[in-house]
Amino acid sequence: MEAIKEIVGDSCKTYFKMTNGQIFVVGSEFRAKTGKIDGFIVYKDGIKHYDTEIVLTQQEVLELIEQYEKYKLTHLDIVDWA
């Protein structure tokens, strides 16, 4: 799986934009650890390819989480996985 380029979201979905142009979309909600919105709670079940709406396999989900761990080394930690 390619590296994460950008993570964007709203009150019900989070989008993981990858360096190869792929986009994954997942149900989520805002996170407010500090008393204000500071990230997303992302639900691992049902992560889909944006274009095809095909659900990621467990292996692909693990790879996405691994890519997120690399991403947060140089970016703010904005995702909690549920």
Side-chain angles (χ1 to χ4, degrees):
M1 181 171 290
E2 295 289 322
I4 296 171
K5 178 179 176 182
E6 181 181 21
I7 300 171
V8 295
D10 57 30
S11 62
C12 63
K13 291 190 188 314
T14 299
Y15 301 87
F16 293 86
K17 297 181 178 183
M18 312 306 278
T19 55
N20 66 353
Q22 278 187 309
I23 300 173
F24 301 111
V25 63
V26 62
S28 64
E29 57 188 72
F30 286 131
R31 177 185 81 178
K33 283 185 176 178
T34 62
K36 62 181 181 175
I37 295 171
D38 61 0
F40 307 98
I41 299 170
V42 174
Y43 300 101
K44 292 184 272 188
D45 293 341
I47 300 175
K48 298 178 181 180
H49 292 268
Y50 180 75
D51 293 330
T52 63
E53 295 194 9
I54 295 173
V55 176
L56 271 62
T57 65
Q58 280 188 320
Q59 182 61 38
E60 289 171 321
V61 170
L62 292 173
E63 290 173 11
L64 180 61
I65 292 170
E66 182 179 307
Q67 288 302 324
Y68 178 72
E69 292 300 315
K70 294 176 185 176
Y71 176 88
K72 74 178 188 180
L73 293 174
T74 57
H75 297 79
L76 291 174
D77 181 13
I78 61 168
V79 171
D80 284 339
W81 300 93

